[in-house]
Amino acid sequence: TEEIKAKRKANFDYLYEHLSKYKDLVMPKWVDGADPSWFSFPLSYRNRGPLVAHLEANGIETRSLFGGNITRHPAYKDIKVRYAPSMFENPECDKILTDSFWIGVHPRMTQEDLEFVVKTFDYYFKQN
């Protein structure tokens, strides 16, 4: 519904505004004039493991992006694949696989929830 879309967008906008201060986070981008209905808040961060562990330890769920160099995913471990080398022999594909993740922008998130997410990021970046 339009209400859900508006709430997701508001949650996304809040996180974007408050997390943009961290220059080491690769923030999402969209095409000028687009009006996305955000399902999540995608981020990339070099060596995401410690940040993701910190978020999860504080009750903030994360998910890895199922993308990047798909041939490196465990599901493809024993499968012979044939592809044009230029498709997957690209460091940017590997960066998406190893560095990217997302956090939620669920429409039932409250202002208190959003502030907690930002404070959790703040604490992490103050320590690291």
Side-chain angles (χ1 to χ4, degrees):
T1 68
E2 288 303 313
E3 183 180 334
I4 291 171
K5 181 180 175 183
K7 183 65 173 151
R8 284 185 181 275
K9 184 181 282 194
N11 293 346
F12 178 93
D13 290 345
Y14 182 89
L15 292 173
Y16 194 92
E17 176 185 348
H18 289 87
L19 297 179
S20 291
K21 63 187 168 195
Y22 297 113
K23 301 305 176 200
D24 288 338
L25 287 177
V26 178
M27 302 296 284
K29 296 180 182 178
W30 53 96
V31 176
D32 287 338
D35 184 26
S37 178
W38 294 98
F39 171 73
S40 66
F41 193 90
L43 293 162
S44 292
Y45 182 67
R46 177 187 38 79
N47 189 19
R48 73 175 177 217
L51 172 57
V52 166
H54 172 75
L55 296 171
E56 293 278 345
N58 284 282
I60 299 168
E61 292 187 9
T62 67
R63 297 292 182 269
S64 298
L65 290 175
F66 186 80
N69 190 341
I70 198 166
T71 64
R72 299 201 197 286
H73 283 266
Y76 291 85
K77 179 180 159 196
D78 297 320
I79 296 175
K80 289 185 179 186
V81 293
R82 190 178 77 168
Y83 57 84
S86 62
M87 287 176 64
F88 295 111
E89 300 303 324
N90 179 327
E92 296 303 315
C93 291
D94 287 334
K95 281 184 185 179
I96 292 169
L97 178 66
T98 61
D99 298 352
S100 298
F101 67 101
W102 58 266
I103 58 176
V105 293
H106 195 277
R108 285 188 281 193
M109 289 178 78
T110 64
Q111 183 64 32
E112 182 179 274
D113 295 333
L114 293 167
E115 290 170 5
F116 178 76
V117 169
V118 171
K119 286 178 186 176
T120 305
F121 273 90
D122 289 345
Y123 182 82
Y124 179 83
F125 284 109
K126 284 179 188 170
Q127 303 301 312
N128 295 289

